Amino acid sequence: MSMHISPGKKIYFLSDFHLGAPNAEQSLQREKLLVRFLNEIEPTAAAIFIVGDMFDFWYEYTKVVPRGYTRILGKLAQLTDSGIPIHFFVGNHDMWMNNYLQQELNIPVYFEPRAFELGGKKFWIGHGDGLGPGDGGYKALKKVFRNPVCQTLFGMIPPAIGIGVADYFSRKSRAKGGGKEEVWLGEEREWLITYCKELIASRKNFDFFVFGHRHLPIDFRLNDTSRYINLGDWIRYFTYATFDGVEVSVQSYTGMEHKIIRNW
């Protein structure tokens, strides 16, 4: 997919809101902050990429929509209605997307990393879960969760029970309850950097590799022509990236720039 960027416009990337976590009150505060951010960038937005885990849990029953999130969903609908394209990549917390975003909000949904040409630059974009070496247990579990039969069986459980059970297990994740701060593991141990290098070695060259999932904002130069960008999160860092047609910049909406890992 190719996209032109007009002068004065930017493409925005953000991920890992985990709305619903750790409780309704704190989630609502973040949701309002996100809407304020979207209001501010609306005049300059050529497009917006939401790179997974918008919700801490999401399951699309046939006739039931999870309670809450009316502010963010309404804002996204207003943005697409005004002509600003929004692209959504499912994460490991909201992988049970179906067609709600497409039909109600006119937002395309992607289940795997995908290539884009934006302003003449090549981007490889995805949430980041299950990529790179290791984490065999999660990769096997992801296949189960993504299996249509398993999703159908879960849908047979009454929403009050199914969502309650899912919420219980979601509370155990690192994104719920404000666990310890993410730590930079070093170039050789950051699995998404390894994944990017493997793609480059296989001659799949991109100017920018953009992911979420890691919950740590990172801007890392892989070689003379490619950079790995991790978008951090909107739980602790409130970080996002912009692309103006020339350069990608990783920033924090709440002044947490000093927490961004940069290696240019």
Side-chain angles (χ1 to χ4, degrees):
M1 179 179 293
S2 179
M3 183 184 303
H4 172 72
I5 304 176
S6 300
K9 295 288 187 177
K10 298 178 182 179
I11 295 176
Y12 291 84
F13 306 83
L14 56 166
S15 74
D16 292 273
F17 312 159
H18 288 270
L19 295 177
N23 54 54
E25 181 180 358
Q26 292 184 40
S27 173
L28 180 58
Q29 291 175 356
R30 295 204 314 282
E31 185 179 1
K32 289 180 177 179
L33 188 67
L34 276 161
V35 170
R36 189 175 81 185
F37 171 77
L38 293 171
N39 285 334
E40 291 180 9
I41 70 171
E42 184 173 355
T44 59
I48 299 170
F49 285 77
I50 300 176
V51 191
D53 285 354
M54 179 158 67
F55 307 108
D56 203 57
F57 172 74
W58 180 269
Y59 182 87
E60 291 183 19
Y61 290 91
T62 304
K63 295 184 178 180
V64 175
V65 177
R67 182 173 179 172
Y69 320 126
T70 54
R71 292 167 180 80
I72 187 70
L73 292 174
K75 183 60 189 178
L76 295 178
Q78 182 260 310
L79 289 170
T80 58
D81 286 347
S82 71
I84 298 174
I86 298 175
H87 300 268
F88 183 84
F89 288 79
V90 300
N92 51 306
H93 281 255
D94 45 26
M95 68 172 66
W96 284 359
M97 288 280 179
N98 190 6
N99 56 23
Y100 182 83
L101 292 189
Q102 296 98 313
Q103 292 182 355
E104 298 294 330
L105 308 182
N106 195 29
I107 296 176
V109 173
Y110 311 106
F111 290 85
E112 301 293 341
R114 179 166 177 161
F116 289 81
E117 184 173 312
L118 308 175
K121 299 288 187 179
K122 293 181 179 180
F123 284 73
W124 184 251
I125 304 171
H127 182 61
D129 59 310
L131 303 179
D135 208 7
Y138 169 71
K139 291 175 181 176
L141 192 62
K142 182 178 179 180
K143 291 181 180 179
V144 174
F145 285 162
R146 291 281 297 274
N147 186 288
V149 174
C150 295
Q151 294 183 24
T152 299
L153 291 174
F154 185 88
M156 295 179 180
I157 302 173
I161 298 174
I163 292 177
V165 171
D167 187 63
Y168 168 78
F169 284 105
S170 189
R171 287 178 186 277
K172 294 180 177 293
S173 75
R174 66 180 176 183
K176 245 181 175 172
K180 66 179 182 180
E181 186 172 1
E182 296 295 334
V183 176
W184 166 250
L185 300 176
E187 179 177 354
E188 301 303 321
R189 295 178 60 199
E190 289 287 342
W191 69 93
L192 282 172
I193 289 181
T194 300
Y195 169 77
C196 294
K197 289 182 176 180
E198 290 173 348
L199 286 181
I200 293 172
S202 65
R203 298 190 177 182
K204 295 181 180 179
N205 295 312
F206 294 90
D207 298 290
F208 300 98
F209 297 83
V210 180
F211 298 102
H213 186 59
R214 180 67 175 85
H215 285 248
L216 182 67
I218 301 170
D219 185 351
F220 188 89
R221 184 169 294 281
L222 297 162
N223 56 33
D224 290 340
T225 60
S226 298
R227 275 164 55 195
Y228 157 63
I229 305 294
N230 198 283
L231 299 169
D233 65 24
W234 280 68
I235 298 172
R236 178 177 291 108
Y237 303 108
F238 305 93
T239 40
Y240 61 98
T242 62
F243 177 60
D244 61 4
V246 178
E247 193 56 86
V248 168
S249 174
V250 183
Q251 305 166 53
S252 171
Y253 188 55
T254 59
M256 299 288 284
E257 273 83 5
H258 63 289
K259 293 290 188 178
I260 300 171
I261 304 298
R262 303 186 192 270
N263 184 340
W264 295 342

